[in-house]
Amino acid sequence: MSIKYRLKKTGLLFLLLCLLAGAFAGCSDNSSKDDAEENAATSVTPSGSGGQTVSGTEDSVYASMTVDTDLTVGQWDDGSGFADMEETAIVLSDSGAEISGSGAAVEGSRVTISAEGVYRVSGSCSEGQLYVNVGDDEHVRLILDGVTLSSSNGAPIYVENAKKVLLTLADGSENRITDTTPDGSDTESGSSGTAESASETTEDNASEAPAPAGIYSRDDLTIGGTGTLTVEGNTNGIVTKDKLKILSGTLHITAGNNGVRGNECLAVYDGSITVTAGNDGIKSYTSNEATCGFVTVRGGSVTVVASGDGIHGEYMVDVRGGELDITTGGGSAAAPAHTSDFEHGGWGFGSSSTETADSVSQKGIKSDYQIFLSDGSAVIDSADDSVHSNGTVVLSGGKWTLSTGDDGIHADSSLTVSGGVYDIQKSYEGLESVVITVSGGEGTIAASDDGINCNSDDSFYGGMGFDAVSASTMLTITGGSLTVLADGDGLDSNGNVSMSGGYVVVNGPTNNGNGALDYAGSFQMTGGTLIAAGSSGMAQSVTPSGCYALMITWPSMLSAGTEVRLTDDSGTEIFSFAPEKTYNSIVICTPDLTAADYVLYSGSEKQCEFTISGELTSISSDGSAYSGGMGMGNGGMRPGGGRGGDGTAPGGGRDDNGTAPDMGRDDGTAPGEGRDNDGTAPDTGRNSDETAPDTGRDGNGNETPPEGEPAL
């Protein structure tokens, strides 16, 4: 693709933070005891006190709330609070642990820590448990310094009660924690149940039951250090019922169910984390509290291979840094094929979903309410949506490389792109929401259906010229740059489209059941640059105001890479573009177009000379006026599917003389399959002298056949 013209790029930075009412501190009984700075950092306040609401969302409950997502690392996280405490040494063995110091005791294969302090643990035990049960206001630091610990009766490391536990991986140490608790006990009460539902339960008598994880904490847990920790969980890997922070270290986690899970929140600041999970990889979720479920990534390297979701924060996912590599459900190549109501799509009746109510969610990053992507980088290969929110998504920074069997980025309510670099390399639909606002960023989208799709439940038809316009559906483009390669519609809105800035290029579709632009209401164009090349069957233009737009239609498809070029009447090039797909329709709106005379070239071939005198000009490639067609909109009905400026539809309707040269009659004849002006049909009938030289009589009327054929 080559594009040459002058362009001013503009962008707006837009970041909206909102969440359901209620403080994170209310997620558990122990959270009220947390550090003062952390209580302040995670409080939720009404938007009227300095926050902003999310535009276009339907849920007024969380639309009116915002959250400060800064989580402070305090002295009990970085270890400074333990500086003056003496260490107690614990050496594990199958014959019984040895303890040097106070605060810990051995009972069979269990080591119980019952007092605030620092405990350095080493050694190996094939069937044992480190059990922490201290006061509500007490802190414990566990230093793992070469530990191998397994258990078949619940979590090998189990925190029953504490204000906070800091799990430190000693420098250079290799530590392995293995939970071999049988399947079916993935509840704190020990009862059987499905892996997903059972793991979300909360029981007060957890100390009497096998905890379903390699490391399990009912209170806040922070993991740090410079060593290595391998956790193998027959059910879950690492689980906390409150906050879980990962500050550093090298973590390898394998789990039959969830890899890493924090109830109230899960924060990754640094370190190298690899998760392989039979269900979700990294998760913050609870079925019993309405204000929990927050995942944030601030740094580090995170690799997730999950059969379910990669990262799932029930109420929020906030990515501000780090490097993510996420594969879910076997990746996009393993996704089931989409089926649509019409083979070529674009007719507006929707398409069948790849996910049913009973199917496993296999999204890359998922939240039930909010997703904020402001920094860092991610490579996501997902069977389902790469980024999915049942509420809103805000992309304001970072680098995102996405391959998906469904949507690249999906938000049920609103999707805002104000910055960042996003490359959706494979998708069914690239960006999808009811309200989509693009004010910045650099994007590329490859889609087997629509590149951008704005739709809502109150719209039924998605095209064909009799759309029910959705009042709640809106695509707004004010800045940024975007390139779309679509097999379906390029930009599709079941409501309206507004573009006042930015740079958008659409390549495709190549079939006449879709359009590079497809809108049910209007496409108001007041600024920016738009180039939309595709098939002409359902093509629509724009309604320019304060700028100039040009639509060109060819009678047949041009090869991909065939350059469209405009020069002024002196030969100076004004515009050139080589679409990446075959096309016979293009809409051009750039600041370089003015009221002037132009020359059109296709490749090196001169097509025509024409004049732009008004804000909207529609021509055929021979320079004749062209407007109208199927589909409503101020840019005319869908040209190419209906009538031109003279009442004709070049390529599909009638010419000025009432004929349809491609499929009908000229002057009463049908050249190529009917009769010429003299009443004959030269290909199948008689010449002007009433002879049929190819199959019948000579010019003199004799029944002499052509040479070598018998007489009639």
Side-chain angles (χ1 to χ4, degrees):
M1 176 182 69
S2 65
I3 306 170
K4 293 178 285 184
Y5 48 85
R6 298 178 300 276
L7 175 65
K8 292 182 179 179
K9 296 184 178 180
T10 61
L12 299 174
L13 181 62
F14 176 63
L15 179 60
L16 303 176
L17 299 177
C18 63
L19 187 64
L20 266 171
F24 278 128
C27 288
S28 68
D29 293 338
N30 193 64
S31 294
S32 61
K33 305 173 295 183
D34 206 351
D35 303 300
E37 67 271 21
E38 291 173 351
N39 282 330
T42 57
S43 62
V44 179
T45 56
S47 60
S49 61
Q52 291 179 294
T53 60
V54 171
S55 174
T57 188
E58 296 296 326
D59 192 334
S60 61
V61 175
Y62 69 83
S64 62
M65 310 307 295
T66 108
V67 63
D68 179 356
T69 56
D70 184 31
L71 290 169
T72 303
V73 176
Q75 62 177 340
W76 303 109
D77 296 306
D78 63 21
S80 59
F82 298 98
D84 297 330
M85 298 182 184
E86 293 185 4
E87 289 185 4
T88 293
I90 301 173
V91 180
L92 303 176
S93 69
D94 286 336
S95 59
E98 294 183 2
I99 300 174
S100 300
S102 61
V106 180
E107 182 180 353
S109 61
R110 171 187 280 189
V111 175
T112 298
I113 295 172
S114 57
E116 183 175 77
V118 178
Y119 300 85
R120 183 176 294 270
V121 186
S122 61
S124 176
C125 181
S126 59
E127 187 65 52
Q129 185 178 66
L130 284 172
Y131 180 70
V132 178
N133 189 6
V134 299
D136 289 348
D137 296 322
E138 293 184 328
H139 302 82
V140 170
R141 182 175 190 176
L142 285 178
I143 302 174
L144 302 187
D145 193 0
V147 172
T148 300
L149 179 61
S150 300
S151 173
S152 61
N153 190 32
I157 297 179
Y158 184 16
V159 178
E160 166 69 23
N161 194 65
K163 186 171 186 179
K164 176 172 290 185
V165 171
L166 171 58
L167 190 66
T168 301
L169 310 176
D171 186 20
S173 67
E174 297 279 346
N175 305 280
R176 181 179 295 272
I177 307 298
T178 305
D179 173 32
T180 60
T181 304
D183 291 337
S185 58
D186 188 15
T187 66
E188 293 183 20
S189 60
S191 61
S192 62
T194 64
E196 179 67 21
S197 61
S199 65
E200 316 306 349
T201 62
T202 301
E203 301 288 344
D204 292 332
N205 62 340
S207 61
E208 302 173 1
I215 298 174
Y216 190 97
S217 176
R218 287 173 53 81
D219 295 304
D220 291 352
L221 176 66
T222 298
I223 300 174
T226 56
T228 299
L229 172 64
T230 299
V231 178
E232 298 170 323
N234 199 38
T235 304
N236 300 306
I238 300 174
V239 173
T240 70
K241 305 301 289 184
D242 281 345
K243 295 186 184 75
L244 173 59
K245 299 177 184 178
I246 300 175
L247 305 185
S248 58
T250 300
L251 279 63
H252 302 287
I253 301 160
T254 303
N257 188 32
N258 297 320
V260 184
R261 178 183 156 206
N263 245 31
E264 182 177 330
C265 71
L266 195 161
V268 177
Y269 294 87
D270 206 345
S272 176
I273 304 167
T274 302
V275 179
T276 302
N279 195 6
D280 295 345
I282 293 176
K283 183 172 188 175
S284 182
Y285 177 90
T286 177
S287 60
N288 295 333
E289 300 288 349
T291 56
C292 302
F294 169 37
V295 175
T296 182
V297 180
R298 312 294 180 87
S301 173
V302 179
T303 300
V304 176
V305 177
S307 297
D309 298 323
I311 296 178
H312 181 191
E314 182 185 13
Y315 274 42
M316 181 182 290
V317 176
D318 173 38
V319 180
R320 301 188 184 187
E323 299 178 357
L324 305 179
D325 188 338
I326 300 173
T327 303
T328 66
S332 57
H338 279 266
T339 57
S340 61
D341 295 317
F342 292 91
E343 180 181 1
H344 296 297
W347 296 98
F349 297 107
S351 62
S352 64
S353 172
T354 60
E355 182 176 316
T356 66
D358 297 328
S359 65
V360 175
S361 178
Q362 297 176 324
K363 299 173 174 64
I365 297 177
K366 175 184 175 181
S367 176
D368 295 358
Y369 291 93
Q370 309 289 331
I371 295 177
F372 300 100
L373 309 174
S374 59
D375 204 352
S377 65
V379 176
I380 301 177
D381 188 7
S382 56
D384 204 342
D385 299 346
S386 286
V387 177
H388 176 99
S389 172
N390 293 349
T392 65
V393 174
V394 176
L395 171 60
S396 61
K399 183 176 181 180
W400 308 87
T401 304
L402 312 177
S403 298
T404 170
D406 203 356
D407 299 337
I409 304 177
H410 173 101
D412 282 359
S413 295
S414 69
L415 167 58
T416 299
V417 180
S418 61
V421 177
Y422 54 104
D423 181 9
I424 302 176
Q425 298 181 343
K426 178 183 178 182
S427 69
Y428 180 65
E429 293 182 324
L431 305 180
E432 183 176 49
S433 188
V434 177
V435 176
I436 298 178
T437 302
V438 179
S439 61
E442 300 177 17
T444 56
I445 297 173
S448 61
D449 194 37
D450 300 342
I452 292 182
N453 184 24
C454 290
N455 62 58
S456 65
D457 293 337
D458 61 352
S459 59
F460 179 68
Y461 302 109
M464 297 182 67
F466 43 86
D467 307 36
V469 180
S470 168
S472 62
T473 305
M474 186 73 187
L475 170 61
T476 302
I477 303 172
T478 63
S481 64
L482 175 63
T483 300
V484 175
L485 287 87
D487 293 342
D489 299 320
L491 307 181
D492 184 358
S493 174
N494 289 354
N496 299 313
V497 182
S498 172
M499 185 170 178
S500 60
Y503 155 55
V504 177
V505 172
V506 178
N507 294 274
T510 60
N511 66 75
N512 283 322
N514 293 284
L517 307 177
D518 181 9
Y519 52 90
S522 65
F523 193 132
Q524 300 296 320
M525 185 87 185
T526 59
T529 294
L530 172 67
I531 305 164
S535 55
S536 64
M538 300 291 287
Q540 288 180 286
S541 186
V542 300
T543 300
S545 177
C547 56
Y548 292 89
L550 171 65
M551 182 174 185
I552 308 169
T553 303
W554 287 261
S556 60
M557 299 295 282
L558 303 180
S559 299
T562 302
E563 186 180 56
V564 180
R565 187 162 59 95
L566 298 178
T567 69
D568 61 19
D569 53 7
S570 67
T572 301
E573 184 175 289
I574 304 300
F575 169 90
S576 67
F577 173 61
E580 295 187 41
K581 291 174 173 278
T582 58
Y583 67 100
N584 69 334
S585 173
I586 188 168
V587 175
I588 305 166
C589 185
T590 83
D592 298 305
L593 288 181
T594 61
D597 295 329
Y598 293 93
V599 181
L600 169 66
Y601 293 86
S602 292
S604 60
E605 182 181 350
K606 179 180 177 180
Q607 298 284 291
C608 66
E609 298 179 4
F610 66 96
T611 300
I612 293 180
S613 57
E615 290 184 331
L616 176 60
T617 300
S618 297
I619 62 169
S620 297
S621 58
D622 61 3
S624 60
Y626 178 62
S627 64
M630 293 179 63
M632 295 295 190
N634 294 330
M637 303 175 73
R638 295 181 189 267
R643 300 184 178 278
D646 54 4
T648 72
R654 297 184 178 272
D655 288 340
D656 300 351
N657 56 10
T659 70
D662 292 335
M663 56 186 294
R665 297 181 178 271
D666 287 335
D667 303 322
T669 72
E673 63 176 24
R675 298 181 180 273
D676 287 342
N677 298 342
D678 58 5
T680 70
D683 294 335
T684 61
R686 299 180 179 274
N687 289 337
S688 56
D689 57 6
E690 291 298 316
T691 69
D694 294 334
T695 60
R697 301 178 183 272
D698 288 340
N700 57 12
N702 296 327
E703 294 185 355
T704 303
E707 183 178 355
E709 294 293 334
L712 293 174

